[in-house]
Amino acid sequence: MTDRRRSVAAAADGFARAFTVDDLIAAARAHSPGIGIATVYRAVAAMEGAGALERVGSRDGSALYVRCSEDEHHHHLVCTACGAVAHTPCPLGTNMPDSAHEGFVVTSHQITLYGLCAACAGTGAVRG
Amino acid sequence: MTDRRRSVAAAADGFARAFTVDDLIAAARAHSPGIGIATVYRAVAAMEGAGALERVGSRDGSALYVRCSEDEHHHHLVCTACGAVAHTPCPLGTNMPDSAHEGFVVTSHQITLYGLCAACAGTGAVRG
DNA sequence: CCTACTCGTGATAACCATTCTCACTTTGGA
DNA sequence: TCCAAAGTGAGAATGGTTATCACGAGTAGG
Ligand SMILES: [Mn+2]
Ligand SMILES: [Mn+2]
Ligand SMILES: [Zn+2]
Ligand SMILES: [Zn+2]
């Protein structure tokens, strides 16, 4: 684990909402002023591979990510108005990975729920 | 509905597997030789908006689509080896759209299952 | 017939998020 | 300390997708 990687991870920890790589670059530069974008992209790829980061869609052509613990298998709920994120248990229940459906052996799945968080549900706010 | 749009829809119908826009362009040109890529991209956007096409990930930086009926709410199972697609009922069951989770009002969700189809599960095949 | 307006089309240029290149530095173990 | 492997960063390149724009087909009204 290098100094740069630590900065990116710390920057990711700082977000309570979904963020783009650009957001992450800006945040990482607070602690590592000279960090290059290639390095951040590489850190993102590594973290995504390790389950520390998860893609939850895109906004204006840029990927949106969510900081995620590497613990239990679970999924995410993203507020389409403010980007707020909630971690929610896997709704598949008994139909877990490696089970069979329609003749397929299911090895993985991608689930993201979208909606409005409590704060945004109150106002008529809409974003992106 | 124009002639071009019909060609793209017909081309999409011809795929039993997930396909890229490039695949679609090639297929559409079988019946509409001069069709331009912009037209196909526009048709894809229209079909996606209408629920006739659904994005199921990407391969090598290109979006992967699946032809889909506009009927019941359901999701897809994609073979990571050959791209074969199966349509499968929504696993959320009672937790349908517009319900609440973690304080969120859930308005939509994105679910895709990945695995190996019966044919590919037999061989040791792996792709992309 | 005209005119005006809308919409789809397609060749092409532009965009721009992401990846690659390459020379250099850092890391961590022996 | 030494070294091979991995990481870094400025900049160039990539390439899927989108924006432009001139054109033609349809349509409604007169
Ligand atoms: Mn999480
Ligand atoms: Mn379907
Ligand atoms: Zn799950
Ligand atoms: Zn569903």
Side-chain angles (χ1 to χ4, degrees):
Chain A
M1 179 62 68
T2 67
D3 188 52
R4 297 312 203 192
R5 296 285 169 101
R6 263 185 293 274
S7 286
V8 174
D13 285 336
F15 289 99
R17 334 194 138 189
F19 53 86
T20 65
V21 175
D22 268 337
D23 294 335
L24 194 54
I25 292 171
R29 281 186 172 155
H31 286 287
S32 293
I35 193 170
I37 70 172
T39 297
V40 177
Y41 271 102
R42 282 186 286 243
V44 165
M47 292 178 75
E48 192 175 3
L53 226 50
E54 187 173 309
R55 234 196 115 149
V56 290
S58 57
R59 188 174 62 211
D60 305 321
S62 299
L64 276 181
Y65 291 92
V66 158
R67 179 73 171 96
C68 187
S69 71
E70 295 139 63
D71 304 23
E72 283 279 304
H73 170 78
H74 64 277
H75 301 283
H76 301 98
L77 222 153
V78 183
C79 179
T80 53
C82 74
V85 173
H87 308 254
T88 187
C90 180
L92 293 194
T94 59
N95 308 326
M96 288 301 277
D98 280 33
S99 65
H101 299 268
E102 317 266 339
F104 278 63
V105 177
V106 180
T107 53
S108 68
H109 57 265
Q110 204 285 314
I111 299 181
T112 305
L113 307 181
Y114 298 96
L116 294 174
C117 69
C120 292
T123 73
V126 176
R127 183 179 87 178
Chain B
M1 179 62 70
T2 68
D3 187 53
R4 297 314 204 192
R5 295 284 169 101
R6 262 186 294 273
S7 286
V8 174
D13 285 335
F15 289 99
R17 333 191 140 190
F19 53 86
T20 65
V21 176
D22 269 339
D23 294 334
L24 195 53
I25 292 171
R29 283 186 171 155
H31 285 288
S32 293
I35 193 169
I37 70 171
T39 298
V40 177
Y41 271 102
R42 282 185 287 243
V44 165
M47 292 177 75
E48 193 176 3
L53 227 50
E54 187 172 310
R55 233 194 116 152
V56 290
S58 56
R59 186 175 63 211
D60 306 320
S62 299
L64 276 181
Y65 291 93
V66 158
R67 179 73 172 96
C68 188
S69 71
E70 295 138 63
D71 304 23
E72 284 278 304
H73 171 77
H74 64 277
H75 301 285
H76 300 99
L77 223 154
V78 183
C79 177
T80 53
C82 75
V85 173
H87 309 255
T88 187
C90 180
L92 292 192
T94 59
N95 306 326
M96 288 302 278
D98 279 36
S99 65
H101 298 267
E102 316 267 339
F104 278 62
V105 177
V106 180
T107 54
S108 67
H109 58 265
Q110 204 285 314
I111 299 181
T112 304
L113 307 181
Y114 298 96
L116 294 175
C117 69
C120 292
T123 74
V126 175
R127 185 179 87 177

